[in-house]
Amino acid sequence: MTGHNQHPDSPVTALTPDAVDRLESLFGPIDEDLARHYPGDRIGGQPSHTVYVSAADASANVPAEWGTAASAILDAHPEAFAELDTANVLPLVRERLSTAPIQDLRIDFEDGYGWRSDVVEDRHATAAGAALAALAKDPDGPTWLGIRSKGLAAHERRRGIRTLELVLDGAGGVPDGFVFTVPKLRAASQVAAVVALCEELERAHGLPDRALRFELQIESPQAVIGADGTTTLAQAITRADGRCTSLHYGTYDYSAACGITSAQQSLAHPVADHAKNVMLVAAAQTGVWVCDGSTQVVPTGSPEQVSASARRHFDLVTRSLERGFYQGWDMHPGHLVTRWLATFGFFRHAMPVAAARLGGYLDRQGGEVMDEPATAQALAGVLVRGLDAGAFGLAEVQAIASGIDRDVLRGLLDRSVTVSLG
């Protein structure tokens, strides 16, 4: 008797069809569960950064105002940024600042806003909604946008819910690319309540099912490791019912909660690295993005101070990119200069090698490095992220490997493009 799909001339195996069916009945539900929880990484579309602005200062003019302010800082201190430009991308940076300086905007009603009277916050919430709706219609506006409302603790959550509702009212619904940030997550069970909040808002406001999405801000040690010793984040992603778009690291709250003194709080501190590495592992292959945090050092003051702070932010962004964090917070217009300088430089340095290796992989020419499908997938990810960031164009990639286009890259990412070994 031959097995399933077995050629008549193949050797006969000992397992019967019934035995194989029994094994399939055991593996099948596991396959379904893994496919549900780990659909694959969502490569493509992730913004390079998230800009936070206080709701008191929010308007549809924020991107243009920040781009103008960033350009002024660059013009006032060209030498501070020129020394960082090892990939000759400053012209690209200037173009980005003048056209579409912000990819992701978050209007802040939490730490960056503080506590104001209900009347004032109500007014700011409605205005924020109108601003987000206008930005969503701007072809050069942010691809992603939203708010960070107050947290989930008992003393603030009703205010946060009211603000979110008023923002949606002010926007006239859910703007394209809208996401709201849930700060200070501490328990996975809180995520189920956030999902219920989304359902209730959709029902009350006549919104389409599953129209609301959120991101979780990791600012508490309990969000990483729970009281039972398990990884809170992994459970939180599962309980989000597919609505969680990303995990955002909160540099200063998290560091302070771990007892790190203010002078040592940094994205590069070992405490931060541990938390962010857990975030990466928990989010891997779930389709949830991971976003690094911020630095409070801004490029202002004397030329020496501007140069030092620019170098610091540039190095931090580069460090994050090297460690697989392709998004981070920007808190000041000056951060846009070094954000785009570091991002463009990182991907432009990586592109020629990635394109050549992918071209060789597709042609099966090999060379000094014999790449496997997983490596080809990673190389395609480099090119997709670089294209999304605007670090280079497809024509530049095709000048190195003519067979690469967006469809090929997508196929390599989901492994639907295969290379025969003969």
Side-chain angles (χ1 to χ4, degrees):
M1 180 181 293
T2 60
H4 179 65
N5 291 333
Q6 186 174 312
H7 191 277
D9 295 331
S10 299
V12 176
T13 57
L15 285 180
T16 66
D18 286 345
V20 174
D21 288 344
R22 179 193 175 202
L23 294 175
E24 284 299 318
S25 71
L26 295 172
F27 281 118
I30 299 172
D31 294 340
E32 293 174 3
D33 189 62
L34 288 171
R36 183 171 65 256
H37 293 307
Y38 301 101
D41 291 325
R42 188 162 50 115
I43 300 175
Q46 183 176 10
S48 298
H49 67 159
T50 300
V51 164
Y52 272 78
V53 296
S54 169
D57 304 320
S59 75
N61 296 323
V62 164
E65 292 169 352
W66 273 54
T68 298
S71 295
I73 293 171
L74 175 56
D75 290 339
H77 303 278
E79 68 288 341
F81 300 102
E83 65 183 10
L84 304 174
D85 186 18
T86 60
N88 298 316
V89 295
L90 271 173
L92 281 177
V93 173
R94 289 185 180 278
E95 181 181 1
R96 169 67 75 169
L97 296 178
S98 66
T99 54
I102 296 176
Q103 279 190 324
D104 185 20
L105 176 67
R106 207 66 76 246
I107 297 177
D108 190 15
F109 287 89
E110 204 226 3
D111 286 350
Y113 179 76
W115 283 92
R116 304 173 191 237
S117 71
D118 285 339
V119 172
V120 171
E121 184 160 342
D122 285 354
R123 185 173 70 249
H124 285 155
T126 303
L132 292 174
L135 285 168
K137 296 175 182 177
D138 182 353
D140 292 325
T143 305
W144 296 89
L145 40 74
I147 70 163
R148 178 173 69 169
S149 57
K150 297 199 166 46
L152 302 174
H155 71 282
E156 59 184 347
R157 62 173 169 255
R158 291 195 179 189
R159 177 64 258 186
I161 292 170
R162 177 175 175 81
T163 295
L164 176 56
E165 193 167 12
L166 289 173
V167 167
L168 294 173
D169 282 344
V174 181
D176 290 342
F178 181 83
V179 62
F180 67 94
T181 306
V182 178
K184 297 179 175 59
L185 176 75
R186 297 189 70 194
S189 53
Q190 290 175 314
V191 177
V194 177
V195 171
L197 168 62
C198 292
E199 294 170 345
E200 294 297 336
L201 286 172
E202 289 164 356
R203 186 178 298 113
H205 291 262
L207 301 173
D209 290 343
R210 307 184 68 80
L212 291 173
R213 296 171 292 179
F214 56 84
E215 57 200 14
L216 301 173
Q217 194 164 356
I218 310 308
E219 302 174 89
S220 303
Q222 297 81 25
V224 176
I225 300 177
D228 60 356
T230 61
T231 303
T232 307
L233 287 173
Q235 298 180 48
I237 292 172
T238 299
R239 297 190 186 196
D241 192 31
R243 291 181 184 262
C244 180
T245 61
S246 55
L247 307 176
H248 285 227
Y249 178 65
T251 310
Y252 299 100
D253 283 270
Y254 190 92
S255 298
C258 290
I260 308 303
T261 61
S262 59
Q264 302 303 319
Q265 292 174 2
S266 165
L267 296 178
H269 193 281
V271 159
D273 284 340
H274 172 262
K276 292 184 293 184
N277 286 336
V278 174
M279 290 166 64
L280 269 187
V281 173
Q285 299 182 330
T286 66
V288 174
W289 292 327
V290 177
C291 176
D292 209 343
S294 64
T295 178
Q296 61 188 1
V297 180
V298 299
T300 58
S302 68
E304 292 75 20
Q305 290 172 317
V306 170
S307 181
S309 62
R311 165 61 71 179
R312 178 182 176 85
H313 188 242
F314 178 90
D315 288 346
L316 286 171
V317 174
T318 301
R319 182 182 190 272
S320 296
L321 291 167
E322 291 172 347
R323 285 158 175 77
F325 302 97
Y326 300 106
Q327 181 181 356
W329 294 10
D330 289 330
M331 310 297 288
H332 185 275
H335 287 157
L336 296 184
V337 183
T338 36
R339 171 69 59 185
W340 292 119
L341 192 59
T343 300
F344 290 161
F346 177 83
F347 285 113
R348 285 197 70 83
H349 280 305
M351 185 272 287
V353 172
R357 286 175 64 178
L358 270 187
Y361 175 81
L362 293 170
D363 294 339
R364 247 336 181 203
Q365 294 173 350
E368 294 181 0
V369 182
M370 295 296 292
D371 290 318
E372 298 180 351
T375 304
Q377 184 181 40
L379 292 169
V382 170
L383 297 182
V384 169
R385 293 183 191 280
L387 288 166
D388 286 350
F392 46 79
L394 190 58
E396 294 176 89
V397 176
Q398 292 174 335
I400 298 172
S402 59
I404 296 176
D405 59 23
R406 281 281 190 174
D407 289 337
V408 168
L409 290 174
R410 177 52 53 191
L412 290 166
L413 288 176
D414 62 22
R415 299 203 188 187
S416 62
V417 169
T418 58
V419 176
S420 175
L421 296 178

